[in-house]
Amino acid sequence: MIHAYDNQYLDDAMKCLGEAMDYVANSCKIKMDSFLELFIGTGYAEQFALGVPKYVSGVSGTELVINVISKSGIDIDFSEAQIDYEYSPEYWCGWILAYYQWYTGRSFKEIQKHISMQEIEKLYSTLHEASEKKFIDTVNRMIRKKNPPTRLQAQRKISGYSQRELAEKVGVNLRTLQQYEIRAKDINKAAGATLLALAKVLGCRVEDLLEYDNSEIEDNEEV
């Protein structure tokens, strides 16, 4: 499996986001979900997800929080930076979130659509001593329950292709295909040539591959 970035930065990334969530929740008294919104909105999350050393290794968790909140234009009195962080539930939430993002390659914005920090915190009591893989499996099951398979995935399985086989037949990058299937990339914005090639190999219409929100369908029916 292709991960988000080289694992030489993974340990630093996990510690950094763990410290950030601990500091923001316990020292700044800001909800972790609120901080995640700011983390994404300021663009820091995108750079962090790419494993850019400046963001995952070049700052401490406390410094990351200060940078994000300052860039957001929020005026607060920051508590004194901590030197040592205990393995608190909040620390674990950030620590395991960084691992999940690295392992799956999903953006933080995409992850946030499907699971909240509050939901992750509820998993602490049962999973904080389990393996990272156990957390990944648990969260992926939660996401699957919330979200039906993409149309692309359904059509691929009907046709009997593996992801790798389909990618090779269509001439599309395997990673890109995987991201379309988990909605990490919007297939509706895929190049026309890619959609046509997929539809041809899968023996379906382009329309059979596009994703629509239920709200969009309902709005169209009312017109």
Side-chain angles (χ1 to χ4, degrees), residues 203-220:
C204 65
R205 303 173 304 164
V206 168
E207 290 84 351
D208 295 328
L209 302 175
L210 302 181
E211 295 288 309
Y212 302 97
D213 290 336
N214 290 334
S215 59
E216 291 177 356
I217 295 172
E218 290 170 1
D219 288 344
N220 289 334

Side-chain angles (χ1 to χ4, degrees), residues 34-192:
S34 297
F35 174 71
L36 186 58
E37 286 276 1
L38 299 176
F39 185 48
I40 294 168
T42 55
Y44 275 82
E46 185 177 356
Q47 297 301 314
F48 195 100
L50 293 173
V52 176
K54 174 183 175 181
Y55 294 87
V56 299
S57 300
V59 295
S60 67
T62 299
E63 290 170 331
L64 177 63
V65 170
I66 292 172
N67 291 341
V68 167
I69 292 179
S70 297
K71 188 172 182 179
S72 300
I74 299 173
D75 185 18
I76 69 168
D77 292 326
F78 292 103
S79 300
E80 186 176 344
Q82 295 176 232
I83 298 175
D84 296 312
Y85 287 83
E86 296 181 0
Y87 199 65
S88 66
E90 293 82 10
Y91 181 99
W92 178 81
C93 288
W95 182 86
I96 199 65
L97 174 61
Y99 185 88
Y100 182 82
Q101 187 282 317
W102 170 81
Y103 186 89
T104 62
R106 292 177 171 176
S107 67
F108 285 102
K109 185 175 182 179
E110 180 66 21
I111 294 169
Q112 184 198 37
K113 289 179 183 177
H114 303 300
I115 188 166
S116 66
M117 294 306 299
Q118 186 176 19
E119 289 175 304
I120 291 175
E121 189 173 13
K122 288 179 180 178
L123 298 175
Y124 173 79
S125 60
T126 55
L127 294 180
H128 74 281
E129 293 183 345
S131 67
E132 289 88 350
K133 185 63 167 57
K134 180 70 173 177
F135 175 84
I136 289 166
D137 291 341
T138 300
V139 170
N140 284 345
R141 281 197 300 272
M142 291 170 65
I143 291 175
R144 283 196 295 271
K145 285 182 179 180
K146 293 179 181 180
N147 301 277
T150 58
R151 292 181 166 196
L152 172 60
Q153 184 183 60
Q155 290 291 341
R156 175 178 61 78
K157 290 186 174 182
I158 289 171
S159 299
Y161 291 116
S162 68
Q163 289 180 329
R164 186 173 297 279
E165 288 171 339
L166 180 58
E168 289 175 353
K169 281 185 172 290
V170 174
V172 67
N173 183 274
L174 174 60
R175 175 93 178 125
T176 299
L177 180 69
Q178 291 171 335
Q179 289 179 318
Y180 284 143
E181 287 205 358
I182 63 173
R183 298 186 176 92
K185 279 191 173 183
D186 186 356
I187 195 170
N188 294 358
K189 297 179 181 178

